[in-house]
Amino acid sequence: AGPVGGLALPGAADMVSGALQEDLRELDFYVNNGLVSEADALLKELVQRHGEHPLLDRRAQQVAKLR
């Protein structure tokens, strides 16, 4: 189980990272276009989906400035 577990973890982390990056691109689109309510809703969804993350915290600060 050692080698398999060691190989599985980086792959899973890459998938989460890729999914998070995709979600952040969508969130950035909303922020950059001043779509505050959409950004707020997506941000809440992303925190539920990905948990607390420094990149999500930074986006939350950006959204707060738009209000």
Side-chain angles (χ1 to χ4, degrees), residues 50-64:
H50 299 287
E52 293 294 327
H53 192 283
L55 292 174
L56 290 176
D57 291 342
R58 193 161 79 194
R59 295 314 195 284
Q61 292 172 2
Q62 292 174 329
V63 171

Side-chain angles (χ1 to χ4, degrees), residues 8-54:
L9 289 176
D14 289 345
M15 285 176 53
V16 170
S17 177
L20 179 57
Q21 288 177 3
E22 182 76 21
D23 289 337
L24 288 173
R25 279 193 285 272
E26 182 179 358
L27 182 58
D28 287 342
F29 172 82
Y30 293 145
V31 170
N32 292 332
N33 288 283
L35 303 170
V36 180
S37 59
E38 290 86 350
D40 251 342
L42 181 58
L43 187 58
K44 289 174 186 170
E45 181 183 324
L46 296 184
V47 169
Q48 289 178 348
R49 187 182 307 163
H50 299 287
E52 293 294 327
H53 192 283

